[in-house]
Amino acid sequence: MPELPEVETMRRDLERLLQQQIFSQIRVIDDRVIRGISGQKFRDALLGERIQSVGRRGKALIFNLRQDKFLLMQPMMTGHFIYFAAGKPVSFNPATKIIFDFNSGDTMVYNDHRLFGRISLVKDLSEVKFLRDIGPEPWDLTYQRPWLAAALGKRTVPIKTLLMNQQFLAGIGNIYASEILFKSGIKPQRRAQTLKAQEIDQLFSWIPKVLEEAIALRGTSMLTYRDTAGERGNFSSRVQVYGRENQDCYRCAGKIRKIVQAGRSTFFCATCQK
DNA sequence: ATTCTGTCCTGTAGGC
DNA sequence: TGCCTACAGGACAGAA
């Protein structure tokens, strides 16, 4: 489900709400959401641990517990946390897979109806393949115009598919790939290495701009995404092309079209995007 | 090496 | 209303 803006929204909320809190009880309702160890071992290893801070890398959330202990969570399509302050009624549903209680009396539940999400405890983040192989964040020092041009030049995949490749760049998923290409005026089917200098300029500036605007609006809610308070993201109202098949383009008279690339839906305006 | 396809799951929206 | 199919914010193995 969530892409970089949604995961960053979760990170900010969770760090504000849970920093310095200590796990006092953990109820694993469905073992399948935990990777590597049993629900019982997961629970035992987490009890008494204190959340020092909450980080993010691409679409992964990282709870920093100790120098050699991290709670890693990848929401994938439908995983998300809902927070309940002490004294508030905690609400569950069939998607609730883990319930975390803290010393303060606060509770955080983990919901994931499709069970694609991953939660694990790791000693060393570099032992996680996903984190070893992931590309730069769009705000890293590496993220420079010449780096982007060189990286694009080596690839023959359609630009939309490349934008979604986490080894290329961290954090962009299916919604923002379409939105970024619309803003950049580039057709999603274009092969990465065929982009002209002026198009690379557009892409280079729109990638962080679109993501930053989405973070400021607390992400996009299409179907199931909710923040830690159970609220929808407000970028949904700014979406230009995603999910708008056959509707009018906001910028020209054309219709938004939908195609499938690498098994995923892509939306674009055939008039605005060249 | 890079690129593409199918798979893991469950819920829900839309067509008939 | 109720059935049936298609599809859903991701990542990865295995095939081409």
Side-chain angles (χ1 to χ4, degrees):
Chain A
M1 144 211 315
E3 307 179 32
L4 188 153
E6 292 76 35
V7 181
E8 178 60 18
T9 301
M10 292 183 195
R11 187 200 71 73
R12 293 179 183 186
D13 286 356
L14 291 170
E15 182 159 86
R16 175 172 54 80
L17 297 164
L18 297 175
Q19 196 161 39
Q20 300 309 324
Q21 296 223 37
I22 297 168
F23 291 97
S24 61
Q25 193 188 160
I26 292 139
R27 283 166 283 179
V28 179
I29 294 159
D30 191 331
D31 264 43
R32 291 176 294 175
V33 299
I34 309 210
R35 309 288 157 148
I37 52 172
S38 68
Q40 185 61 50
K41 282 189 173 159
F42 174 81
R43 176 182 170 280
D44 293 346
L46 205 49
L47 279 176
E49 293 293 344
R50 181 192 299 269
I51 296 173
Q52 305 294 346
S53 59
V54 185
R56 178 191 59 75
R57 187 72 171 90
K59 304 173 198 170
L61 209 51
I62 301 162
F63 293 80
N64 299 298
L65 308 174
R66 296 167 184 264
Q67 291 230 313
D68 61 350
K69 202 167 192 178
F70 305 88
L71 174 63
L72 177 69
M73 181 272 203
Q74 287 178 272
M76 301 289 271
M77 296 291 239
T78 53
H80 62 275
F81 290 117
I82 305 285
Y83 165 85
F84 300 92
K88 301 273 181 189
V90 177
S91 66
F92 318 97
N93 62 54
T96 303
K97 307 302 179 190
I98 311 178
I99 303 166
F100 301 90
D101 291 323
F102 297 91
N103 275 3
S104 60
D106 291 355
T107 296
M108 172 175 83
V109 307
Y110 175 67
N111 295 338
D112 186 4
H113 79 84
R114 285 181 79 181
L115 293 171
F116 288 171
R118 300 156 176 206
I119 294 189
S120 59
L121 277 172
V122 294
K123 283 195 180 69
D124 180 352
L125 294 172
S126 67
E127 77 195 33
V128 180
K129 188 173 162 26
F130 174 83
L131 297 175
R132 271 202 314 271
D133 297 344
I134 195 168
E137 299 279 322
W139 300 276
D140 278 356
L141 286 178
T142 319
Y143 186 76
Q144 299 289 342
R145 169 75 172 69
W147 170 85
L148 182 65
L152 293 174
K154 289 182 213 152
R155 304 302 209 105
T156 62
V157 262
I159 184 63
K160 151 68 159 47
T161 307
L162 183 60
L163 287 180
M164 290 185 64
N165 181 344
Q166 302 302 293
Q167 274 116 286
F168 166 68
L169 195 59
I172 300 172
N174 213 29
I175 294 178
Y176 299 108
S178 282
E179 296 301 311
I180 287 165
L181 289 172
F182 175 78
K183 291 284 194 179
S184 304
I186 300 167
K187 265 202 174 68
Q189 305 94 315
R190 293 277 303 284
R191 303 270 154 183
Q193 63 188 190
T194 69
L195 296 197
K196 309 268 189 300
Q198 176 266 122
E199 295 169 327
I200 298 172
D201 289 341
Q202 290 295 312
L203 199 55
F204 177 70
S205 63
W206 281 112
I207 288 171
K209 245 193 273 183
V210 169
L211 297 174
E212 280 163 12
E213 189 190 0
I215 292 170
L217 291 168
R218 303 181 59 77
T220 306
S221 292
M222 296 304 298
L223 293 168
T224 62
Y225 172 72
R226 296 294 182 274
D227 68 16
T228 51
E231 301 291 330
R232 302 170 63 88
N234 300 314
F235 192 80
S236 319
S237 61
R238 301 287 182 93
V239 163
Q240 305 284 301
V241 290
Y242 187 86
R244 301 194 61 244
E245 186 184 15
N246 293 327
Q247 296 182 39
D248 294 337
C249 173
Y250 293 134
R251 198 193 276 168
C252 75
K255 291 250 188 282
I256 303 302
R257 289 174 47 192
K258 174 181 165 179
I259 57 172
V260 174
Q261 295 179 284
R264 309 296 301 280
S265 296
T266 302
F267 299 86
F268 68 103
C269 172
T271 312
C272 294
Q273 295 172 251
K274 311 287 181 198

